[in-house]
């Protein structure tokens, strides 16, 4: 059984970062909302309590029964988790006079503490809290302070239980990874043996055991996630995997043909399906982004249902769902989550589609998917391909989608992406694309007045898409690309560049 660290989520914006940092140490971690804690078995080596937007003093603050965890397993409370460990056992937590947010430096470190090994004095840490632990219970030892926060970290005597007021998982905590390593390796005793190759081996074995001789139908998109999922399934069940690559009319220029050939070269059992007219019909008269996403998701399901009926005795639908999709679709507060966007591959299938779902990548972050793909021998040009939204160009066409508007955006996007490749910039960008705006602008071409479409170019740097910054592409490249688009794409007379980061903006415009 794979050893693991369980991270209990109280709704913090940083919870996923905790999971990623633990995995960077080659230790498997799982994130679970506080109201759906899994069974604590022998595979669980330790537990981390996340931060939260709540105060422990709130009447509706998240609560957790720690009887099965505290003093029985190593336990680390981060921010809200630390305050809960103090408040629940006799300590005093009070609102701060000022919100303690941002950089701070440790002014005291107990170098004898197992948690604080190799964390130096004046180490920079990141604070993000409105309450402060004023006092801790008598059996708690103080192991770190900052200039303004006396109780920055504590240890419960006689237990492997610790609390820290700061966030070691964020980049700005300079020795945060060292602290997490102290906890998960030195205190929890994890072996650091969870690698991409080990994940692939375990997943293939699990798929063989689960699927046996069953047939699986998988929708390929041309992206990294579905491609790696397909290879894992292919290695597990071979020709019993039936891959469907749908031309929804919303792919990039010439992408359907080139990607189809690439999948055939990988030895996959694949069928290309021309469904352009079905998707365009489903999108007719729809301008709202959520309605477009749902129309596309429903049409995908209909197409898969039709294709699945062509395969005798198929029992499973494979999907390339990854961990951020799953986490973003689960509420950590017990109530309805704020929906940023719908994930078309999360949430199950309609009753009429009698297929069970298999998701080999459900517990991986995007960068981990690429590493697993590399361990499986997938070609670099496939693994290095920029993420592309499931709904395709439909959510990069603001307003109604039509065949002509798709043509315009495909041409613009092709010039932009090919230009990045030609100039050696493609691998410096995490994701790039063009957006067709729902406005026309006045221009001049020759002696003629034009009134045509405006397009926006978008390029961002990121690790996993949870946060992103806009790329500082060379002005010369942007000028050359803009000129080429306006001269070569009929219907466009203005190009702008998006310099918004995520947050507050999202990567896609819809």
């Amino acid at each position: 059984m794979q050893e693991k660290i369980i991270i209990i989520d109280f709704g913090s914006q940083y919870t996923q970062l905790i999971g990623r940092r633990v995995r960077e140490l080659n230790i498997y971690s799982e994130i679970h909302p506080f109201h759906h804690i899994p069974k604590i078995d022998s595979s669980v080596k330790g537990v981390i309590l996340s931060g939260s937007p709540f105060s422990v003093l709130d009447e509706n603050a998240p609560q957790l029964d720690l009887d099965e965890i505290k003093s029985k397993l190593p336990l680390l409370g981060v921010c809200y988790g630390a305050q809960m460990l103090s408040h629940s056992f006799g300590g005093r937590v009070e609102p701060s006079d000022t919100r303690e947010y941002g950089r701070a430096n440790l002014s005291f470190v107990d170098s004898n503490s197992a948690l604080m090994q190799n964390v130096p004095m004046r180490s920079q840490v990141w604070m993000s809290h409105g309450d402060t632990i004023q006092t801790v219970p008598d059996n708690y030892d103080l192991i770190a302070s900052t200039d303004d926060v006396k109780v920055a970290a504590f240890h419960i005597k006689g237990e492997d239980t610790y609390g820290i007021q700061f966030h070691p998982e964020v980049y700005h905590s300079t020795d945060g990874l060292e602290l997490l390593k102290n906890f998960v390796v030195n205190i929890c005793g994890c072996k650091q043996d969870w690698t991409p190759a080990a994940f692939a081996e375990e997943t293939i074995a699990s798929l063989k055991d689960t699927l046996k001789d069953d047939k699986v139908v998988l929708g390929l998109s041309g992206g990294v996630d579905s491609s790696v999922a397909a290879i894992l399934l292919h290695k597990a069940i071979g020709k019993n995997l039936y891959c469907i690559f749908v031309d929804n009319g919303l792919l990039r220029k010439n992408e359907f043909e080139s990607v189809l050939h690439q999948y055939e070269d990988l030895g996959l059992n694949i069928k290309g399906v021309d469904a352009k007219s079905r998707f365009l019909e489903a999108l007719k008269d729809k301008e709202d982004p959520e309605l477009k996403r749902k129309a596309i998701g429903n049409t995908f399901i209909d197409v898969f249902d039709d294709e699945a009926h062509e395969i005798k005795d198929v029992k499973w639908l494979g999907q390339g769902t990854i961990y951020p999709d799953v986490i973003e679709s689960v509420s950590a507060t017990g109530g309805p989550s704020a929906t940023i966007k719908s994930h078309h591959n999360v949430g199950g299938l309609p009753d009429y589609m009698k297929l069970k779902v298999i998701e080999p990548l459900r517990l991986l972050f995007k960068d981990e998917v690429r590493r697993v793909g590399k361990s499986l021998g997938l070609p670099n040009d496939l693994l290095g391909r920029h993420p592309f939204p499931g709904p395709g160009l439909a959510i990069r066409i603001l307003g109604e989608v039509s065949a002509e508007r798709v043509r315009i955006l495909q041409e613009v996007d092709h010039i932009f992406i090919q230009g990045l490749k030609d100039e050696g910039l493609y691998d410096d960008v995490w994701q790039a694309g063009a957006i067709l705006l729902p406005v026309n602008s006045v221009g001049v071409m020759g002696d003629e007045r034009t009134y045509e479409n405006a397009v926006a170019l978008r390029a961002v740097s990121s690790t996993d898409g949870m946060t992103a910054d806009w790329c500082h592409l060379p002005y010369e490249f942007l000028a050359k690309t803009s000129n080429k688009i306006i001269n070569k794409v009929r219907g466009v007379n203005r190009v702008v560049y998006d310099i918004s980061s995520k947050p507050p903006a999202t990567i896609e415009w819809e």
Side-chain angles (χ1 to χ4, degrees):
M1 209 183 307
Q2 175 67 55
E3 63 181 21
K4 69 185 74 166
I5 297 294
I6 295 295
I7 299 161
I8 298 176
D9 182 23
F10 295 102
S12 169
Q13 62 178 319
Y14 298 135
T15 302
Q16 288 198 38
L17 279 179
I18 301 175
R20 285 181 44 74
R21 294 293 179 260
V22 171
R23 291 188 183 191
E24 284 176 17
L25 295 165
N26 291 334
I27 296 166
Y28 179 61
S29 65
E30 288 182 0
I31 298 171
H32 295 273
F34 73 92
H35 49 85
H36 288 300
I37 304 301
K39 180 182 178 182
I40 304 297
D41 57 30
S42 60
S43 68
V44 179
K45 297 300 182 183
V47 176
I48 299 176
L49 308 177
S50 84
S52 177
F54 288 92
S55 163
V56 294
L57 305 175
D58 291 344
E59 186 177 342
N60 60 341
Q63 300 296 323
L64 182 67
D65 184 354
L66 292 170
D67 287 348
E68 295 299 313
I69 302 171
K70 186 175 175 291
S71 79
K72 298 178 175 65
L73 282 170
L75 178 63
L76 174 64
V78 176
C79 198
Y80 178 90
Q83 292 178 0
M84 187 174 73
L85 286 172
S86 180
H87 177 71
S88 300
F89 297 97
R92 184 160 55 91
V93 177
E94 294 181 352
S96 303
D97 293 335
T98 59
R99 181 172 172 81
E100 293 165 339
Y101 184 86
R103 294 174 178 84
N105 294 96
L106 297 180
S107 58
F108 161 71
V109 175
D110 181 356
S111 59
N112 294 317
S113 167
L115 186 69
M116 306 306 292
Q117 293 297 303
N118 300 315
V119 177
M121 285 276 289
R122 307 312 299 174
S123 176
Q124 179 177 283
V125 296
W126 187 261
M127 295 286 188
S128 180
H129 58 100
D131 295 338
T132 294
I133 301 171
Q134 297 290 357
T135 62
V136 293
D138 292 339
N139 62 328
Y140 285 40
D141 283 331
L142 185 67
I143 58 174
S145 303
T146 69
D147 294 328
D148 298 318
V149 178
K150 180 181 179 182
V151 185
F154 59 76
H155 170 229
I156 301 181
K157 295 176 183 176
E159 300 179 15
D160 285 329
T161 302
Y162 299 83
I164 51 177
Q165 184 59 79
F166 53 90
H167 288 271
E169 68 273 21
V170 303
Y171 170 79
H172 301 289
S173 290
T174 52
D175 297 285
L177 191 61
E178 187 68 32
L179 185 148
L180 287 173
K181 182 180 179 181
N182 288 338
F183 179 70
V184 297
V185 176
N186 300 341
I187 296 171
C188 297
C190 292
K191 298 186 185 71
Q192 293 184 276
D193 60 358
W194 190 71
T195 63
F199 172 85
E201 183 179 341
E202 291 168 10
T203 301
I204 291 167
S206 175
L207 290 170
K208 286 179 179 178
D209 184 59
T210 299
L211 300 172
K212 298 181 173 63
D213 294 325
D214 289 353
K215 294 178 180 178
V216 178
V217 60
L218 170 72
L220 284 169
S221 67
V224 175
D225 301 337
S226 65
S227 300
V228 175
I231 295 299
L232 287 169
L233 284 162
H234 177 69
K235 287 184 176 293
I237 61 174
K239 292 296 183 181
N240 275 349
L241 173 65
Y242 292 78
C243 296
I244 308 297
F245 184 36
V246 177
D247 185 356
N248 59 9
L250 305 167
L251 301 172
R252 285 174 163 155
K253 184 178 179 181
N254 301 327
E255 188 171 31
F256 180 70
E257 295 79 8
S258 62
V259 172
L260 188 61
H261 291 316
Q262 188 173 38
Y263 283 139
E264 290 170 344
D265 291 342
L266 289 172
L268 295 178
N269 178 18
I270 185 166
K271 178 183 178 182
V273 178
D274 184 351
K276 293 191 289 289
S277 60
R278 290 179 67 172
F279 282 87
L280 286 174
E281 182 62 30
L283 288 166
K284 191 174 181 180
D285 299 326
K286 291 181 176 63
E287 297 188 7
D288 180 86
E290 276 296 292
L291 291 180
K292 289 198 285 188
R293 285 179 179 272
K294 288 174 181 176
I296 290 166
N298 290 337
T299 306
F300 263 118
I301 289 173
D302 290 341
V303 171
F304 286 135
D305 191 42
D306 291 344
E307 295 302 324
H309 278 99
E310 298 295 318
I311 306 167
K312 187 178 180 181
D313 299 326
V314 66
K315 294 183 179 179
W316 297 84
L317 174 69
Q319 294 195 143
T321 309
I322 62 173
Y323 210 17
D325 298 340
V326 176
I327 296 169
E328 287 181 2
S329 300
V330 175
S331 170
T333 59
S337 297
T339 300
I340 306 301
K341 61 183 179 181
S342 297
H343 291 284
H344 73 276
N345 57 343
V346 177
L349 300 169
D351 291 338
Y352 68 81
M353 194 172 184
K354 306 299 182 183
L355 294 177
K356 293 180 283 186
V357 175
I358 191 83
E359 298 168 315
L361 307 177
R362 186 178 179 85
L363 296 177
L364 293 187
F365 292 99
K366 174 71 78 173
D367 57 321
E368 293 171 331
V369 174
R370 286 196 170 95
R371 291 201 292 270
V372 169
K374 186 174 183 179
S375 76
L376 292 168
L378 268 68
N380 289 332
D381 62 330
L382 194 155
L383 291 175
R385 185 175 291 150
H386 290 175
F388 190 63
L393 297 180
I395 60 165
R396 293 181 178 175
I397 297 174
L398 276 57
E400 187 176 356
V401 178
S402 66
E404 173 60 11
R405 300 193 81 204
V406 170
R407 179 200 66 79
I408 291 173
L409 189 56
Q410 283 178 332
E411 296 291 341
V412 172
D413 179 86
H414 178 70
I415 291 171
F416 183 33
I417 299 300
Q418 191 59 50
L420 288 170
K421 293 177 178 178
D422 292 344
E423 297 294 328
L425 298 169
Y426 186 83
D427 291 337
D428 297 332
V429 174
W430 190 78
Q431 182 171 339
I435 299 92
L436 182 59
L437 304 180
V439 295
N440 285 4
S441 70
V442 173
V444 177
M445 291 185 179
D447 293 325
E448 298 291 326
R449 175 186 184 275
T450 62
Y451 190 58
E452 294 179 329
N453 294 281
V455 296
L457 305 182
R458 178 82 158 135
V460 299
S461 58
S462 181
T463 300
D464 53 22
M466 300 306 298
T467 60
D469 198 6
W470 63 278
C471 288
H472 296 242
L473 296 177
Y475 289 147
E476 295 80 5
F477 169 76
L478 291 172
K480 181 179 177 181
T481 302
S482 172
N483 188 60
K484 193 169 184 178
I485 288 170
I486 292 171
N487 281 322
K488 291 190 174 293
V489 182
R490 187 181 72 254
V492 175
N493 69 357
R494 190 176 300 272
V495 176
V496 298
Y497 187 55
D498 182 349
I499 59 169
S500 308
S501 295
K502 176 186 180 181
T506 54
I507 295 175
E508 301 295 343
W509 280 41
E510 288 192 343

